[in-house]
Amino acid sequence: MSHDDTYHRLISLLDGTATPYRLIDHVPEGTTEVVSALRGHPLCQAAKCLILRAKLDRRTTRHVLAVVPGDRRVDLDAVRALFAARYVGVSDAVTAERLARAAPGTVLPFSFDPDLALVADPNVVAQPQLYFNAARLDRSLVISGTDYQQLARPRVARIAGLPTDTAGRMSAEAGSPVPQPGRSSRTAASSSAAWTNAWGRLPRS
């Protein structure tokens, strides 16, 4: 499935279920903080997405699409406990794009791949309006958190860590660098945005 097919599959799902939604066109942008400002909504109403790999044992790995509010980080320890995993970390870029069926910065809070488990924090589905890039950098979509839960059917669990500004401030006060995914940190700054927090800043197209 191409990235364009992912967009059309989402729209077909919404239209086919008569789900109210609104499209927002904007300059190409995937970083959660920046695109939220372009769309004109509080950061907490953005759906941040991060694709993780959970090692259940030496032979078994599960891939997880974790969705948290835009102002929060993914709590890797919470995800590890949820799946009774030995280890949880950020998936590599190639695997993430294949499972998400979307380019970096455009990942949907929906799973269209049977090998990708979907988990959303309660604060995501509780949002009256939920915003995310619609498998495109230049177009976003907004639906209610309730409609999102009914359509996407995520496993709802508390997987959001500290707010991003709080985590950074605590690290600074402790005199240590802000934790980054892939290191020893147990929170990850996920982003439906350009996956920059997971794999480094990507070049603009």
Side-chain angles (χ1 to χ4, degrees):
M1 180 183 291
S2 71
H3 299 163
D4 193 51
D5 288 339
T6 302
Y7 168 78
H8 289 297
R9 180 167 180 176
L10 172 65
I11 298 302
S12 295
L13 174 63
L14 294 167
D15 288 342
T17 54
T19 301
Y21 68 92
R22 180 164 54 95
L23 294 173
I24 303 173
D25 289 330
H26 48 74
V27 297
E29 182 56 61
T31 305
T32 304
E33 293 79 5
V34 177
V35 75
S36 293
L38 290 173
R39 296 184 299 227
H41 63 82
L43 195 55
C44 63
Q45 291 184 344
K48 258 188 183 180
C49 304
L50 187 68
I51 297 180
L52 308 170
R53 60 187 181 95
K55 293 285 293 183
L56 307 188
D57 54 44
R58 292 182 178 179
R59 298 183 177 180
T60 309
T61 298
R62 292 197 66 182
H63 297 282
V64 180
L65 172 53
V67 185
V68 298
D71 61 343
R72 306 290 288 275
R73 294 171 179 264
V74 175
D75 184 339
L76 298 182
D77 278 338
V79 176
R80 181 175 57 79
L82 190 64
F83 287 89
R86 301 174 61 182
Y87 165 82
V88 170
V90 178
S91 292
D92 65 88
V94 173
T95 299
E97 187 165 350
R98 173 176 59 81
L99 292 172
R101 303 180 183 184
T106 70
V107 178
L108 298 174
F110 289 77
S111 174
F112 293 137
D113 193 301
D115 292 330
L116 185 61
L118 175 61
V119 183
D121 189 81
N123 288 318
V124 170
V125 300
Q127 294 298 331
Q129 300 291 314
L130 188 65
Y131 296 77
F132 51 88
N133 281 62
R136 295 170 51 162
L137 286 173
D138 63 348
R139 180 168 293 175
S140 291
L141 190 145
V142 54
I143 60 175
S144 73
T146 299
D147 286 340
Y148 164 69
Q149 184 174 10
Q150 291 177 346
L151 281 179
R153 298 187 180 278
R155 181 177 181 179
V156 178
R158 296 196 178 280
I159 58 168
L162 293 170
T164 52
D165 59 341
T166 301
R169 185 171 63 253
M170 289 176 65
S171 294
E173 290 172 352
S176 59
V178 177
Q180 296 295 319
R183 299 182 184 175
S184 59
S185 166
R186 304 315 303 158
T187 61
S190 68
S191 179
S192 139
W195 292 344
T196 53
N197 293 320
W199 293 292
R201 185 162 298 280
L202 298 174
R204 299 289 184 185
S205 57

